[in-house]
């Protein structure tokens, strides 16, 4: 298994920027987003969201899907492959 790590930006994921944009657009704090994802059955807390947004945490595929589903955006949008939500 290859884990993504962009050494130029020192980021361990590619979704952090979009997660932060979506979270702020929905007027959610990091804690509120984590609580909503917990209600969906995922193990998130505010520190998890912070680390995803900062790029200091690897995000497993099932969490990427959970975040995309929560915000009702495509995986391609969340991963920065398209600007079409």
């Amino acid at each position: 298994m290859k884990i993504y790590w962009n050494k130029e930006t020192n980021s361990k994921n590619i979704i952090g920027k979009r997660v932060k944009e979506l979270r702020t657009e929905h007027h959610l704090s990091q804690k509120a987003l984590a609580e909503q994802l917990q209600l969906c059955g995922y193990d998130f807390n505010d520190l998890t969201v912070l680390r995803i947004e900062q790029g200091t945490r690897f995000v497993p595929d099932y969490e990427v899907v959970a975040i995309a589903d929560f915000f009702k955006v495509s995986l391609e949008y969340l991963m920065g492959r398209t600007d079409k939500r």
Side-chain angles (χ1 to χ4, degrees), residues 18-78:
R18 290 273 167 100
V19 171
K20 185 173 184 175
E21 289 172 4
L22 290 164
R23 179 181 61 77
T24 55
E25 284 175 16
H26 286 81
H27 307 289
L28 293 170
S29 65
Q30 292 169 339
K31 183 175 182 172
L33 174 57
E35 289 170 350
Q36 291 299 312
L37 291 166
Q38 286 173 5
L39 291 173
C40 295
Y42 297 96
D43 187 21
F44 277 81
N45 61 42
D46 54 336
L47 187 56
T48 303
V49 175
L50 172 68
R51 289 180 175 162
I52 290 171
E53 290 179 358
Q54 290 180 336
T56 59
R57 182 178 181 275
F58 172 74
V59 185
D61 52 3
Y62 67 91
E63 290 181 355
V64 174
V65 171
I67 293 167
D69 287 348
F70 176 78
F71 286 116
K72 297 178 178 43
V73 297
S74 69
L75 293 171
E76 291 81 10
Y77 176 79
L78 190 59

